[in-house]
Amino acid sequence: MRIAITEFISLDGVVQAPGGPKEDTDGGFAHGGWTHPYFDAEVLGGAFDAGMRKAEALLFGRRTWQTMAAAWPERAGDPFADRMNSIKKYVVSGTLTDADLTWNNTTLIPGAEAVARVRELRAAEGGDLAMMGSPTLVRTLIQEGLVDELQLIVMPVLLGGGKSIFPEDGGKRPLELVSTTTAKTGAQVCVYRPATEG
């Protein structure tokens, strides 16, 4: 399976709380919902739709999974929501138990086993293992060299600090820009894949 990550990201690399003011206020983050002025249903919505069509399963960190599990089940009847609710889901957590997995078709991956289990999933046959949000888990997977595609939805805004998906370990990781599409709002959908240094 390919690990394909989609992230809303500011020009200064922040991915925290793109959806709403109460989504993630860690560190006093006050800009929750910052993506809304730049959302474009055709270009950005299309990028998510395309990603979901290629996805065989979804992978989440705990906080993102809990946010999604609270929102999507009540949206049944919409084709995208129906796909979100029916698709196989994995959540990495050191605190959730199987009893917490109220969202349909979710499997728990214990936090301590995350890298090993994701390696196993990636080595298995299948379509994309898609990710969104989950900055701590994404940062770990980038650090471990387990990301096959990084789709950054770059918003024309600076947020002045917040959670990032990028490792701060001094490692150099060259990427190849595969495609870029600009929305009328100024947001850009940039698809990157790991590049080999030559």
Side-chain angles (χ1 to χ4, degrees):
M1 299 180 83
R2 282 180 355 127
I3 296 180
I5 295 169
T6 298
E7 294 285 347
F8 290 117
I9 192 164
S10 69
L11 286 174
D12 51 349
V14 175
V15 299
Q16 189 169 351
K22 294 181 175 58
E23 184 179 345
D24 181 357
T25 57
D26 283 3
F29 190 75
H31 304 301
W34 54 272
T35 61
H36 295 279
Y38 310 106
F39 192 81
D40 175 274
E42 185 181 341
V43 174
L44 278 53
F48 273 99
D49 278 342
M52 282 299 289
R53 280 196 299 275
K54 292 189 286 185
E56 189 163 310
L58 301 176
L59 176 63
F60 297 104
R62 178 194 54 81
R63 186 193 296 259
T64 301
W65 181 86
Q66 287 177 312
T67 300
M68 299 285 199
W72 286 105
E74 65 190 38
R75 298 180 190 175
D78 165 83
F80 188 86
D82 289 348
R83 177 91 168 113
M84 288 289 288
N85 289 324
S86 65
I87 196 169
K88 177 86 177 147
K89 291 170 276 290
Y90 297 93
V91 57
V92 172
S93 173
T95 56
L96 293 177
T97 67
D98 285 332
D100 297 314
L101 306 182
T102 54
W103 195 13
N104 183 42
N105 211 5
T106 297
T107 299
L108 178 65
I109 296 177
E113 300 171 21
V115 172
R117 293 282 300 278
V118 170
R119 266 189 223 288
E120 288 171 14
L121 287 169
R122 188 169 176 248
E125 289 297 316
D128 285 0
L129 182 58
M131 292 187 70
M132 55 196 83
S134 311
T136 304
L137 180 57
V138 168
R139 189 166 47 253
T140 299
L141 297 183
I142 290 173
Q143 206 157 3
E144 294 289 331
L146 295 174
V147 175
D148 299 290
E149 184 172 284
L150 191 56
Q151 179 172 244
L152 298 180
I153 300 177
V154 184
M155 305 290 188
V157 62
L158 299 171
L159 296 174
K163 292 180 183 175
S164 169
I165 59 167
F166 302 124
E168 294 184 357
D169 59 1
K172 182 180 177 187
R173 296 171 177 89
L175 300 171
E176 173 191 0
L177 179 63
V178 177
S179 67
T180 184
T181 309
T182 303
K184 59 182 177 289
T185 59
Q188 289 191 311
V189 178
C190 302
V191 178
Y192 297 93
R193 293 189 189 130
T196 50
E197 289 189 272

